[in-house]
């Protein structure tokens, strides 16, 4: 069975991560093997780099290089092998997040990011990209309210609302350019958000309709 690469994207506080358990259960109910992972992270090396990226101050180029270094190890050691086995790969963020956060948010040159993307995600046939990206779209002001007091924020979560407005705009630009994106209105209740996710997957023929999974 052909592997399926599904990514979840959105600004901090959008609630995307809270639906990964339900997505895993949904695909397993369809008889699929599932590999769950995240970015930055997914391997011991990438998790070490994640800690540096989220906690250490650095300029946008250094940050971008570390993100793509973590991604390369992740792709080689986890994502490519899982897809070759025919797994469903559920990844909490991928390259779209780099263009949104380092590109739009920090104002780093998207042409340099595109070059790094081509180096890191090179594949025999074509550039490795998700088959479908669920974009959890939420107004930055609402996301900030959700994050307030939730936990000790990392250096991205502690950014001002204006930063997240730029990040959200970056995601919107990526979504407009790529049909693989499916916008999820993350301002709705948890149940309503999950209903949207199920509907998108069913419409694209990725799961059977009325699968019965619950968020």
């Amino acid at each position: 069975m052909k592997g399926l690469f599904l990514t979840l994207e959105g600004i901090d506080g959008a609630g995307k991560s809270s639906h990964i358990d339900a997505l895993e259960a949904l695909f397993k109910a369809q008889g699929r093997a599932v590999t769950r992972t995240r970015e930055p992270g997914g391997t011991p090396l990438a998790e070490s780099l994640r800690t540096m990226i989220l906690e250490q101050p650095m300029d946008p180029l250094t940050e971008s290089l570390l993100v793509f270094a973590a991604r390369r190890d992740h792709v080689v050691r986890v994502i490519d092998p899982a897809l070759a086995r025919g797994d469903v790969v559920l990844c909490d963020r991928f390259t779209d997040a780099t263009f949104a956060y380092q590109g739009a948010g920090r104002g780093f040159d998207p042409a340099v990011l595109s070059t790094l993307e081509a180096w890191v995600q090179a594949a025999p046939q074509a550039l490795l990209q998700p088959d479908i990206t669920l974009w959890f779209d939420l107004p930055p002001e609402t996301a900030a309210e959700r994050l307030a007091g939730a936990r000790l924020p990392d250096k991205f979560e502690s950014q001002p609302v204006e930063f997240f407005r730029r990040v959200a705009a970056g995601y919107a630009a990526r979504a407009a350019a790529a049909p693989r994106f499916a916008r999820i209105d993350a301002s709705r209740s948890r149940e309503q958000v999950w209903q949207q996710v199920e509907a998108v997957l069913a419409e694209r023929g990725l799961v059977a309709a009325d699968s019965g999974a619950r968020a």
Side-chain angles (χ1 to χ4, degrees), residues 19 23 134 136 184 192-202:
H19 293 281
L23 279 167
L134 301 176
F136 291 76
I184 305 297
Q192 290 171 326
V193 170
W194 177 247
Q195 288 169 3
Q196 293 176 72
V197 170
E198 279 192 306
V200 164
L201 297 179

Side-chain angles (χ1 to χ4, degrees), residues 3-214:
L4 175 68
F5 188 17
L6 186 155
T7 58
L8 298 86
E9 296 283 358
I11 63 175
D12 293 275
K16 59 184 173 48
S17 303
S18 65
H19 293 281
I20 291 183
D21 286 343
L23 279 167
E24 181 177 12
L26 177 61
F27 282 107
K28 285 184 174 179
Q30 305 285 318
R32 300 295 301 267
V34 176
T35 293
R36 259 174 76 163
T37 190
R38 68 176 182 176
E39 288 214 349
T43 70
L45 172 60
E47 290 291 335
S48 296
L49 293 174
R50 176 189 178 90
T51 300
M52 296 173 63
I53 293 163
L54 296 185
E55 296 180 1
Q56 298 296 320
M58 59 189 73
D59 75 289
L61 175 56
T62 303
E63 195 170 87
S64 299
L65 290 171
L66 289 178
V67 166
F68 274 106
R71 181 164 298 131
R72 179 62 183 173
D73 195 58
H74 189 208
V75 166
V76 169
R77 296 183 181 275
V78 175
I79 297 176
D80 278 348
L83 293 174
R85 292 193 302 267
D87 287 10
V88 174
V89 176
L90 301 178
C91 191
D92 187 346
R93 293 205 172 108
F94 195 59
T95 309
D96 296 306
T98 309
F99 281 88
Y101 277 79
Q102 281 71 42
R106 295 215 183 279
F108 189 62
D109 188 350
V112 175
L113 296 180
S114 293
T115 297
L116 293 171
E117 179 184 36
W119 290 350
V120 167
Q121 294 160 230
Q125 287 77 34
L127 192 71
L128 173 66
Q129 293 285 12
D131 296 297
I132 181 170
T133 296
L134 301 176
W135 170 36
F136 291 76
D137 186 22
L138 186 71
E141 295 79 7
T142 305
E145 291 174 4
R146 290 183 179 181
L147 286 172
R151 61 180 181 272
L152 185 65
D154 60 41
K155 77 176 187 184
F156 291 102
E157 293 170 339
S158 61
Q159 291 293 314
V161 170
E162 183 54 41
F163 173 81
F164 287 104
R165 290 195 185 104
R166 296 195 299 272
V167 173
Y171 273 126
R174 295 284 286 180
R180 63 181 166 82
F181 269 80
R183 179 184 176 274
I184 305 297
D185 182 355
S187 67
R188 305 290 186 89
S189 69
R190 182 187 177 96
E191 292 74 18
Q192 290 171 326
V193 170
W194 177 247
Q195 288 169 3
Q196 293 176 72
V197 170
E198 279 192 306
V200 164
L201 297 179
E203 287 166 8
R204 301 200 181 196
L206 300 177
V207 299
D210 301 321
S211 60
R214 293 292 178 267

